[in-house]
Amino acid sequence: MRRIISILMENEPGALSRVIGLFSQRGYNIDTLSVAPTEDKTLSRLTLTTFGDDLKIEQITKHLNKLIEVVKLVDLTEGAHIERELMLIKVKATGAQRAEVKRSVDIFRGQIVDVTSTVYTIQLTGASDKLDAFIGAIGETQVLEVVRSGVSGISRGEKVLSL
Amino acid sequence: MHSDLEVATVEMLSGAEMVVRALQDEGVEYIFGYPGGSVLHIYDALFQQEKVNHILVRHEQAATHAADGYARATGKPGVVMVTSGPGATNAITGLATAFMDSIPMVVLSGQVRSDWIGDDAFQETDMIGVSRPVVKHSFMVRDAKDIPEIMKKAFYIATTGRPGPVLVDIPKDQTAPNVKNPYEYPKKVKMRSYAPVSRGHSGQIRKAVEELMKAKRPVIYAGGGVVQGEGSELLTRLAHRLNFPVTNTLMGLGGFPGTDKQNVGMLGMHGTYEANMTMHNSDVILAVGARLDDRVTNNVKKFCPGAKIIHIDIDPATISKNVMAHIPIVGPVDQVLEEMLAALDEHGGEPDQKALERWWEEIAGWRKVHGMRYETNEDGPMKPQQVVEALYKATQGDAYVTSDVGQHQMFAAQYYQYDKPRRWINSGGLGTMGFGLPAAMGVQFAFPEATVACVTGEGSIQMNIQELSTCLQYGLPVKIININNQALGMVRQWQDMQYGGRHSQSYMESLPDFVALAEAYGHVGMKVTKFEDLEGAMNEAFALKDRLVFMDIYVDPTEHVYPMQIADGSMRDMWLSKTERT
């Protein structure tokens, strides 16, 4: 099962490598990863997605918690949550395709953020499956380049991950 | 004016002086190390004081094992100093050894000066990166001012919770003698991201007691956590109070007295027949400070099918990692056992005595089937088991025994009975050949008057034999029991059993004359080839209180370690000899 694990950790050199190292060392997979400082400059927020059954995820979270620099973590998929990913995608846009692509962008509520006579650069946000669906709709042969931010997530309601 | 006065009372020290002063403030007696370019400022500061004794080894790996042996024997953290580059990478095996067995250790490694890091400077290695998977934590000193706090944290993290090695990487410029900063050693540490569990859950402990009361075929399975967590006395009280059988892991030997009649011996791959049968047929297992690792469980899917598992461990990640625990209790072994004893009093009940009686009868039956037996040759070569038994006799069972890795390690675990914790010192988790001699040095430094024996083989001893020189320098009267079977015995055993007897690279050709070698290093050497000479030679060796004696004892190269669990089977599937199996 796919899980989104969100981690608050000390914003220190080397902390990220310990998290990443743990995954390769113990044979776990990281599917996506995003990390940035929080409003408290001493803390970073790291969000990663991984796959595994309950036992494996329990081991992953226990081992992450053991890392000295990890302050707190939550498995967002355990409760109601919002997830978003940002994609920048460059697609071929010539002739009749220009209108076709534009329509798809509108349907997916994306934005065309850069235009040349042959190429559109599109920005799209949403859950990962929506981004996948957009690529499917455009057709992979039209795609020139894809950049995805990795998943960010946050719990719904009043629940917060903070100190 | 007032603030000026305050400033005047704070000492101004260089980074190097801070490192040494922090060691003093931690009460460190010994630091095992080897100098080199990046740590010369620190060595200069060490030279100018007398509280911390530096022990000069002959190879950095030996420094880490010596510190490790010291830590295992005393419970205090072992401390190491190495230089950057090769000095640091040589310490990796020792870090990994300590990490696998949860041994508290602080390793200080030199680093090239800060502005050279990343430039592939001379003797530069990314030690934080290289060591990452084998340390509990690591620090790099980025500002000399941080040294007191980092040192305090390093010792705190190494010794609390599930102990482990902590590395402090120190760039040379941070120890420069001309840069002075105020030194004040923190009295306490508080880390928002590190708070080891200090108590087990009372509700879980009561639930465990209920389960123990209902047990008809119980067993206490005690691991290294009992030794490391100072739980031996409490565990012994609990076991006696309940009259339950106890089995120790390789790491747990001595955690429950080896000669106690309730002790069914070591369990696992080379555990006793009765210990493995007791485990397999049990209905309740009280696992204390043990990992349920692959050398114990055999195939986890077939592990103890009828047993409910109560698992006490300080590390939540150890619980239900390999085998699901029915009642997990996360907490320090000593505190949990103490509370368990109190909860037993409160409960007031007793276990089912009739059922226990039947259980003990069954166990007695298993003991008769195999016990620990081996065949001896009237005229043929000595058996390695006989050597360990002779050692037990010569030392009245009261020595500190360190070992290397292989058949001799298993024989020393099976045939020497450890009645006290911290007496059996071996690399259980990582299985590091070359561990025994330097570990024995660490133990001998901790207890200069104690009898320290290093049980080793002609393969392992050659992996750190250069330390004979260190032993001479510091007058360490370690007794080396070299069980010489002219082969890498355990490898050979596996080749006999699983590779059709094809002994690929497992024999030892061109062995040195160990007696002459010991003498060349300034020690006493003895060669024993006949059983009838063994006892006399042992007594003679141990009578030489002030000398290191290297006993080169020739044994039967064809002997195997039994029992041996059959791969992929359950705990009760064992070879009992070359021809009998369960």
Side-chain angles (χ1 to χ4, degrees), chain B residues 150-185:
Chain B
I150 287 176
M151 292 291 285
K152 181 77 189 176
K153 282 182 177 171
F155 278 92
Y156 174 64
I157 292 170
T159 53
T160 52
R162 180 176 178 174
V166 174
L167 175 89
V168 182
D169 203 34
I170 313 171
K172 188 171 186 181
D173 53 314
Q174 305 299 355
T175 59
N178 54 342
V179 184
K180 308 260 186 188
N181 281 297
Y183 175 86
E184 199 177 354
Y185 202 60

Side-chain angles (χ1 to χ4, degrees), chain A residues 98 101-102 105 110-115 119-123:
Chain A
R98 282 182 88 83
V101 170
K102 176 74 173 69
V105 170
Q111 290 162 286
I112 297 171
V113 290
D114 190 39
V115 176
V119 169
Y120 280 158
T121 302
I122 300 152
Q123 170 189 309

Side-chain angles (χ1 to χ4, degrees), chain A residues 54-117:
Chain A
D54 287 352
L55 263 182
K56 193 166 196 176
I57 300 297
E58 189 183 324
Q59 275 297 309
I60 292 177
T61 53
K62 278 174 170 179
H63 280 293
L64 283 169
N65 262 318
K66 270 174 75 175
L67 294 178
I68 307 289
E69 280 134 340
V70 169
V71 186
K72 258 186 179 175
L73 67 82
V74 64
D75 176 356
L76 287 173
T77 27
E78 276 184 347
H81 64 279
I82 298 158
E83 66 166 284
R84 290 289 181 273
E85 194 177 355
L86 171 76
M87 175 166 72
L88 294 170
I89 178 168
K90 232 171 238 199
V91 299
K92 287 183 215 155
T94 49
Q97 278 169 348
R98 282 182 88 83
E100 186 68 28
V101 170
K102 176 74 173 69
R103 263 200 300 282
S104 296
V105 170
D106 290 343
I107 292 167
F108 280 83
R109 292 187 205 159
Q111 290 162 286
I112 297 171
V113 290
D114 190 39
V115 176
T116 72
S117 56

Side-chain angles (χ1 to χ4, degrees), chain B residues 286-335:
Chain B
L286 177 62
V288 191
R291 294 195 287 133
L292 291 114
D293 75 301
D294 57 285
R295 298 288 117 154
V296 162
T297 59
N298 211 354
N299 185 339
V300 288
K301 291 196 186 79
K302 299 175 189 165
F303 177 74
C304 304
K308 273 206 169 167
I309 297 167
I310 304 164
H311 194 172
I312 304 169
D313 204 284
I314 186 88
D315 178 5
T318 289
I319 289 172
S320 299
K321 180 170 67 184
N322 301 329
V323 178
M324 270 301 270
H326 300 89
I327 305 177
I329 304 170
V330 179
V333 159
D334 54 347
Q335 182 273 327

Side-chain angles (χ1 to χ4, degrees), chain B residues 475-523:
Chain B
L476 303 175
V478 171
K479 303 295 178 282
I480 296 172
I481 313 299
N482 187 41
I483 300 185
N484 189 338
N485 62 355
Q486 310 104 62
L488 301 176
M490 192 57 93
V491 172
R492 188 186 168 110
Q493 175 169 347
W494 282 56
Q495 290 171 337
D496 284 339
M497 295 174 76
Q498 292 168 34
Y499 295 90
R502 294 182 296 280
H503 296 155
S504 178
Q505 305 300 317
S506 61
Y507 58 96
M508 277 282 166
E509 270 200 331
S510 310
L511 281 177
D513 176 344
F514 285 113
V515 171
L517 188 64
E519 285 167 357
Y521 273 110
H523 302 302

Side-chain angles (χ1 to χ4, degrees), chain B residues 311-390:
Chain B
H311 194 172
I312 304 169
D313 204 284
I314 186 88
D315 178 5
T318 289
I319 289 172
S320 299
K321 180 170 67 184
N322 301 329
V323 178
M324 270 301 270
H326 300 89
I327 305 177
I329 304 170
V330 179
V333 159
D334 54 347
Q335 182 273 327
V336 173
L337 289 176
E338 194 146 30
E339 198 173 325
M340 197 170 262
L341 279 161
L344 271 173
D345 285 339
E346 208 179 290
H347 184 280
E350 287 295 328
D352 183 341
Q353 294 304 322
K354 277 221 172 94
L356 268 180
E357 217 168 284
R358 279 198 301 276
W359 183 226
W360 274 114
E361 272 167 30
E362 214 173 329
I363 293 168
W366 291 324
R367 271 185 173 147
K368 268 189 219 139
V369 172
H370 192 255
M372 290 313 292
R373 62 177 162 77
Y374 57 92
E375 281 170 27
T376 52
N377 307 317
E378 268 302 305
D379 301 312
M382 237 181 295
K383 292 289 184 175
Q385 296 93 325
Q386 293 176 306
V387 178
V388 177
E389 285 178 337

